[in-house]
């Protein structure tokens, strides 16, 4: 059955943040009915869906009752109740990505072990059930400083990750199961988005290059295509495809990777959904990542992942020192620059480093796009009406 | 003031059809609050706006009360109550395009006279207050067959226009004021979209070429850029700009033109809004026409109107012989073709030649896009569950 268009078919989307909001542009374009569940009454996806429900994504009954109203269920955030998804699958609902895939990804410890079992290159690591176990491992010199600490669950937008350089930094870590990963020197952080449908059709987007903000550990620029050698790009796309197949993933899978000093590709982590590193595709690609996710989970033919033009994406995050009602200062200035499109997510309150939107810059010449991106970054300020 | 983004500012949109629906993708992208008024509870724009009202667009009180809730008012259809817009302007509301511009465009008789007064090239014509007046003019041989008949008001999607070749065809014409236009042999039907903001910034999109369906008098393919000589394209863009300036138009103005056998450009008619001939821009242009309309009416800097790639648009109209619940037969087949994006407007009931959606085909090679467009046209069928 693929009578999704202007029909009674209903897609259920768990999560109503900016990713859900951008997915809804595509469901509207195809006139596909949608139900959205999100804990916030002010979620960016509260409008443009056919039916919005407010509720806890981690609550079994809430997710189960919500899912029962839909024909296919997907999610735009990993923190959802997996047991409810398993139950929905048992009741015959299609859940994409599947509960089985999500379970392997939700917990970073399980995710890392999965790479090891499937011979997917990743940085060496150790798992710890508690902060105490980590501390004693450091004490015994089984785990050596410096290393990368990651909470096994709940990490998002730079939270739940820290580079631990000294023993004092250890003290500030929260009480939670975690992993300690070897700190690998790398040249570049790269990402590849893989799309795969239930029929097994699979393709990859070009490799993108991510530049991180030094303090917030958030992506500041995403550049497509990455300015790397073709052979390295091909290797990255091959590894990303292998990861998607190992997970038997359906939908979009964003695979974040390191390019090491000696041009090895190590998988850092994955996100089983449209991803910040693919936002450039709305303006840059023949098929944007949100349409591609929809095509994939509905078992439609996948679209062309090539770029029409070069693209650079700049995240708009809340300026330090401000909170309260958001103001996009100088936004009309950046609209004068060539090939600039702002995306405003619709969050009313700004906070330091909160993701409030992004700006895409497209250009036939990638270097020109990159230069304009810097001007954008220097011009627009996401401030609030309260100083903190 | 240009604090439109995530603010209390409200844009009122008269009309909730497919043009309004596509405009709402852009207001969502910029997080601009919108109010929509449409007579149908099932209008394509019923969702994705912040507030939807059902009401008659031609009713003075309805439009006035609706407009009073908004800060800026625009429309996606010409058939709206102009007196209410005048009143709203008197009360200090910004209405773009203005009531004054709309008045000159709504009535095709006034529109044609306006071209004459402003030295804008257009086909010779005569105006008639009634069918009777037209008939006697033909009888007296002041008006000679064949000619193009146009109802002065209410024409849309091929309705209200007819080529009159013989006296029998005259009998079938409705009782209405009309114009009779000289039938000019032409090589091409062209269109240029002009954007202009209140500050007077103005730019034009590339010239597009329109191929019409022989029976329904509806556009079947729109091709961007038009395959015409550069000098003709430049002339067309200059004339379109002149038309926009003469109308003191704010927003988008679609100018439809004929390229005559001897490469003259004659203005056929205009639409003061985003237009079918600009749909290719969603996938093809650096700034799509809906974003551009928004930039223009909000007095923001206008975007780049260049194309990223070549584009061809195919209208999806209801197949002859069918009505009832719409089915998009073979839609998943066309998704396999390169660079294909279907747009489904969300009308539940199909009718012969009803505009139900469109498909854009983008490609670096315009000829390849044109070839794929023909395959799309031959593959997808918009049918219904009832035969007529």
């Amino acid at each position: 059955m693929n009578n999704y268009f202007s029909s009674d078919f209903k897609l259920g989307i768990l999560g109503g943040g900016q990713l859900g909001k951008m997915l809804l542009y595509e469901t509207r374009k195809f006139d596909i009915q949608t139900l959205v569940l999100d804990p916030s009454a002010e979620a960016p996806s509260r409008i443009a869906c056919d039916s919005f429900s407010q509720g806890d994504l981690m609550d079994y009954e809430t997710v189960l009752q919500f899912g029962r109203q839909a024909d296919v269920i997907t999610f735009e955030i990993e923190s959802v109740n997996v047991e409810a998804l398993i139950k929905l699958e048992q009741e015959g609902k299609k859940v994409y990505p599947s509960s089985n895939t999500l379970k392997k990804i939700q917990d970073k410890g399980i995710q890392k072990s999965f790479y090891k079992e499937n011979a997917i290159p990743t940085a060496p690591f150790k798992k710890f059930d508690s902060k105490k176990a980590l501390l004693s491992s450091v004490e015994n010199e089984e785990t050596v400083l410096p290393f990368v600490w990651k909470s096994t669950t709940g990490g998002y937008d730079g939270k739940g990750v820290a580079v631990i350089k000294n023993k004092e930094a250890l003290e500030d870590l929260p009480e939670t199961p975690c992993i300690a990963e070897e700190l690998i020197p790398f040249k570049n952080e790269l990402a590849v988005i893989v799309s795969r449908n239930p029929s097994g059709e699979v393709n990859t987007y070009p490799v993108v290059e991510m530049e991180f903000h030094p303090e917030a550990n958030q992506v500041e620029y995403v550049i497509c295509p990455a300015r790397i050698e073709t052979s390295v790009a091909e290797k990255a796309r091959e590894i990303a495809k292998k990861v998607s197949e190992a997970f038997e993933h359906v939908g979009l899978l964003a695979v974040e990777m390191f390019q090491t000093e000696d041009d090895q590709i190590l998988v850092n982590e994955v996100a089983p959904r449209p991803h910040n590193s693919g936002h450039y595709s709305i303006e840059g690609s023949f098929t944007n990542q949100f349409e591609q996710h929809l095509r994939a989970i509905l078992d439609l033919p996948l679209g062309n992942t090539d770029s029409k033009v070069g693209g650079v994406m700049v995240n708009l995050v809340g300026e330090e020192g401000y909170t309260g009602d958001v103001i996009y200062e100088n936004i009309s200035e950046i609209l004068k620059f060539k090939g600039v499109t702002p995306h405003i997510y619709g969050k009313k309150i700004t906070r330091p480093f909160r993701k409030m939107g992004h700006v895409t810059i497209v250009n036939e010449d990638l270097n020109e796009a990159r230069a304009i991106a810097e001007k954008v970054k220097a011009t627009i300020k996401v401030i609030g009406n309260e100083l903190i």
Side-chain angles (χ1 to χ4, degrees), chain A:
Chain A
M1 119 90 163
N2 54 36
N3 185 20
Y4 305 116
F5 307 84
S6 292
S7 78
D8 292 333
F9 172 86
K10 286 181 185 68
L11 175 66
I13 305 168
L14 296 167
Q18 62 261 27
L19 300 173
K21 179 187 171 187
M22 291 185 268
L23 184 60
L24 293 178
Y25 300 155
E26 308 308 314
T27 56
R28 294 294 301 129
K29 189 169 85 180
F30 286 174
D31 195 42
I32 291 172
Q33 288 192 55
T34 47
L35 315 168
V36 170
L37 178 67
D38 194 89
S40 166
E42 305 219 316
S45 301
R46 72 197 177 282
I47 55 175
C49 56
D50 291 81
S51 161
F52 178 78
S53 311
Q54 196 179 351
D56 183 353
L57 297 167
M58 292 305 287
D59 182 68
Y60 178 84
E61 270 305 317
T62 303
V63 172
L64 182 62
Q65 296 308 332
F66 173 81
R68 281 177 175 161
Q69 303 168 60
D71 299 295
V72 171
I73 295 118
T74 190
F75 45 85
E76 56 107 60
I77 183 167
E78 291 92 317
S79 304
V80 300
N81 189 296
V82 181
E83 299 309 315
L85 297 184
I86 293 169
K87 179 72 177 161
L88 287 164
E89 285 168 340
Q90 285 164 355
E91 290 181 5
K93 297 290 181 189
K94 286 176 180 164
V95 179
Y96 295 126
S98 72
S99 63
N100 193 28
T101 301
L102 180 58
K103 270 175 93 164
K104 290 177 189 141
I105 293 172
Q106 263 185 341
D107 182 301
K108 283 185 187 168
I110 298 174
Q111 194 186 128
K112 287 287 285 189
S113 300
F114 182 82
Y115 297 144
K116 218 168 148 183
E117 288 154 21
N118 286 275
I120 290 160
T122 194
F125 68 101
K126 288 198 186 75
K127 283 202 239 191
F128 302 98
D129 287 341
S130 64
K131 179 174 173 180
K132 195 179 159 198
L134 169 66
L135 292 181
S136 76
S137 175
V138 175
E139 205 56 52
N140 301 340
E141 293 178 2
E142 285 163 14
T143 298
V144 291
L145 294 163
F147 64 84
V148 180
W149 171 90
K150 289 180 179 173
S151 166
T152 56
T153 55
Y156 195 72
D157 277 358
K159 285 166 218 142
V161 180
V163 178
I164 305 299
K165 292 178 182 160
N166 51 50
K167 290 197 177 175
E168 291 71 55
L170 277 172
E171 299 309 314
D172 298 335
L173 292 175
E175 294 288 351
T176 172
C178 63
I179 58 172
E181 220 178 69
E182 203 174 292
L183 187 64
I184 309 273
F186 56 83
K187 281 191 215 174
N188 280 307
E189 295 206 41
L190 307 173
V192 172
I193 290 176
V194 189
S195 35
R196 197 164 165 278
N197 69 19
S199 298
E201 193 189 351
V202 59
N203 61 20
T204 56
Y205 277 83
V207 184
V208 301
E209 192 184 328
M210 299 184 290
E211 288 184 38
F212 278 72
H213 185 283
E215 283 169 64
N217 195 31
Q218 280 185 331
V219 176
E220 198 166 22
Y221 299 105
V222 171
I223 300 163
C224 180
R227 295 159 300 179
I228 55 174
E229 280 175 40
T230 310
S231 61
V232 176
E234 280 169 7
K235 185 158 61 178
R237 289 173 87 155
E238 275 315 307
I239 288 173
K241 203 190 265 187
K242 189 179 169 187
V243 174
S244 163
E245 278 161 5
F247 278 122
E248 298 176 73
H249 187 271
V250 167
L252 288 201
L253 186 74
V255 184
E256 295 186 45
M257 295 174 282
F258 299 116
Q259 177 187 6
T260 64
E261 301 286 358
D262 58 345
D263 286 339
Q264 280 188 72
I265 296 289
L266 299 180
V267 172
N268 178 20
E269 58 183 50
V270 299
R273 50 170 169 79
H275 191 250
N276 193 262
S277 67
H279 288 348
Y280 78 89
S281 67
I282 298 177
E283 288 81 15
S285 306
F286 280 94
T287 313
N288 76 60
Q289 66 165 342
F290 300 97
E291 178 180 331
Q292 190 79 326
H293 183 67
L294 207 52
R295 287 183 183 227
I297 62 175
L298 299 180
D299 208 13
L300 293 166
L302 299 179
N304 180 3
T305 57
D306 292 344
S307 291
K308 296 170 193 167
V309 280
V312 177
M313 195 259 340
V314 182
N315 277 319
L316 291 182
V317 300
E319 198 78 10
E320 281 188 279
Y322 292 93
T323 187
D325 293 343
V326 64
I327 299 155
Y328 295 91
E329 201 174 69
N330 298 329
I331 188 164
S332 60
E333 288 305 305
I334 69 164
L335 288 173
K336 291 179 187 164
F337 306 155
K338 194 186 162 191
V340 162
T341 306
H343 290 256
I344 305 299
Y345 297 156
K347 301 172 186 175
K348 291 194 177 161
I349 304 297
T350 183
R351 285 192 298 269
F353 302 114
R354 187 177 192 195
K355 268 190 198 162
M356 302 297 288
H358 73 264
V359 179
T360 307
I361 301 96
V362 288
N363 203 294
E364 297 89 346
D365 178 348
L366 186 62
N367 292 325
E368 200 179 321
R370 182 64 185 76
I372 295 170
E374 265 189 45
K375 277 173 63 185
V376 166
K377 188 81 193 167
T379 304
I380 191 169
K381 294 272 170 281
V382 183
I383 60 171
N385 65 349
E386 292 170 37
L387 297 174
I388 49 172

